[in-house]
Amino acid sequence: MDNLPIQVEGLTRFYGRNRGVEDLAFTVERGEIFGFLGPNGAGKTTTIRLLMGLIRPTRGSARIFGLDCWQDAASVKRHVGYVPGDVRLYEGMTGAQFLDFLAGFRRGVDPARRRMLVERFEVELSRQIKHLSRGNRQKLALVQALMHDPPLLLLDEPSSGLDPLMQSELLALLREERNRGKTVFLSSHLLHEVERVADRVGIIRDGLLVAVATIDELKRQRTRRMEVTFSVPVDLAQLAGIAGVQVLQSREEGRWVELGVSDGLPVLLRRLSELPVVDLVYAPPDLDSVFLGYYQRQEAIAGERAR
Amino acid sequence: MSWTMTRKALWDLRWSTFWYAIGLALYIVLLAAFYPTFRDVGTQFEEIIRSYPEAFLRAFGIEPGAATLTSFSGFMHTEVFSFIWPLVAAIFVIMSGAATVAQEVERGTAELWLSVPASRPRLLAGKLLALLVDIVVVVLVSVLTLLVAAPVVDAELSLGAALQLGVVLLDFLIAIAGLSVLFSSFSSERGRAAAMAAAVVLAMYLAWVIAGLSERFEWLRYLSIFTAYRPREALEGSGVSWAGLFALLAIGIGSALAALAIFRRRDILA
């Protein structure tokens, strides 16, 4: 297992004429948490299905520890713990039966580890799965992915359905796993979640990989939106002149302005304090702010309007 | 072959196997209980039956010349194994076979099902073994019930005849199971796979009926698995057609192998 946990080259999948993903290329290093960020429908799940050998690539290849994800699908899964984006379990089984069933395919599932995970996620094992809530099903899916202690975790929106406390617990566990040398591929549309744990991120949109960056680069490059309303028209040139601040659009002769802020916040705040500000909205650091940072200003605005 | 998969599949099918096996056995007991009544007035009934139109009789799997109700084997064939038994057992097999792949895709469980370190053919083969076991159970329960019922109603049924009947029933269900699994292997809905399998089986049944009625369409019999389904000869101990039984087995195994190959290469899109 000298090979990289994940190595993707020219990976392309079309559904008929529709693009699922096209020409993806990235690697995931051992011992890192790789966040895979993108809005819904961007191609995250398609990528994970390709990695799991559920669908065949139209072109290109995906390798896990050097094994081809389609040709060697069965061997690949020996090294992978998987949580699908839409968790569907066998309704007629109890949680314990379900875990036993999946463990039956693998040698050496440590009962102590399984118990630890069940306790940590507070999983209901004795009830039939059809009576479990969405969050409890999600936790069961997490336990089955982690219980055989795989060197690579493929997680598609793993925190969906979990309450905030459990979400934190999950992220803490992922950090621990990384510190034990495990690799995590974490797909998510929640920037704050990825920012909390990931070492690097790949950003996907409309089936294309927009960028691969470290979290620090990501934070530096993102552009957050700020909307400011003034009581009187204002000369916007004095705002546009600040390094790291762009005027995205303005209305009402300069009484309302939307700024893209990637840097220079202290300078901007000082400048604003001298102006007749009535109201101010500073958007949280969401995925949108990342895309805004990565695209040309004009393109981003055109894209927003077209939507 | 994955034993873990086989165990799970057996567990999943336990209740339907149980109820179908019991239901068919009860039907056999019920009809066998009527046999003494028919034996006494059998010749009159045979005349009535012979007065029915040939097409009507053939539609119920009865060959007009061979409609004997006076012998136990003839009676049980006409009343049970010519129509009701294959119909009910085929429903069980079609529903179970159609579920193997299509239901996992339909319910979205395929993603976790295929996340284990076993190849798709091995996983499906594990399910097929379980289906075979359940088919054997259903056939065995029916044949044993018949063997026990015969002496109770003062009728004779040799062990050899019962065994041959078992082989005929088993082969017939294996052929249908193969076809059902084949349709399941590329479907994403259990209902659609079952409908396709049922349509093919029904078409083959009609082909067999028509072939018996018209000399011009006699060739149709070679397109139908019902040509090889001959429980009467087995029951009467007059010798079964081994070529026909081999053909049924070949259809079942061939279809199952095709299903494994198709499932291996298909996309799983939920």
Side-chain angles (χ1 to χ4, degrees), chain A residues 13 49 56 82 88 90, chain B residues 104 107 111 265 267:
Chain A
R13 170 67 203 215
R49 288 215 167 124
R56 196 170 3 165
Y82 173 52
R88 307 281 197 87
Y90 297 106
Chain B
E104 299 262 10
R107 296 191 177 168
E111 291 209 40
R265 303 190 64 78
D267 284 333

Side-chain angles (χ1 to χ4, degrees), chain B residues 33-136:
Chain B
F34 277 115
Y35 171 65
T37 323
F38 273 80
R39 179 175 40 201
D40 303 336
V41 292
T43 41
Q44 292 159 29
F45 266 97
E46 278 171 24
E47 271 163 34
I48 293 170
I49 284 189
R50 285 198 188 110
S51 70
Y52 284 132
E54 187 185 347
F56 180 82
L57 292 178
R58 283 196 182 274
F60 284 93
I62 301 160
E63 282 169 58
T68 52
L69 293 170
T70 43
S71 75
F72 182 67
S73 51
F75 176 81
M76 290 309 285
H77 169 256
T78 306
E79 298 296 333
V80 179
F81 295 104
S82 67
F83 194 75
I84 291 291
W85 197 96
L87 175 72
V88 173
I91 290 172
F92 164 66
V93 171
I94 287 173
M95 295 312 285
S96 309
T100 47
V101 173
Q103 184 167 284
E104 299 262 10
V105 178
E106 182 176 8
R107 296 191 177 168
T109 49
E111 291 209 40
L112 281 175
W113 180 39
L114 299 180
S115 76
V116 298
S119 70
R120 293 188 193 182
R122 275 169 52 100
L123 288 170
L124 181 53
K127 284 194 174 195
L128 297 190
L129 178 65
L131 182 56
L132 181 64
V133 169
D134 287 330
I135 288 174
V136 169

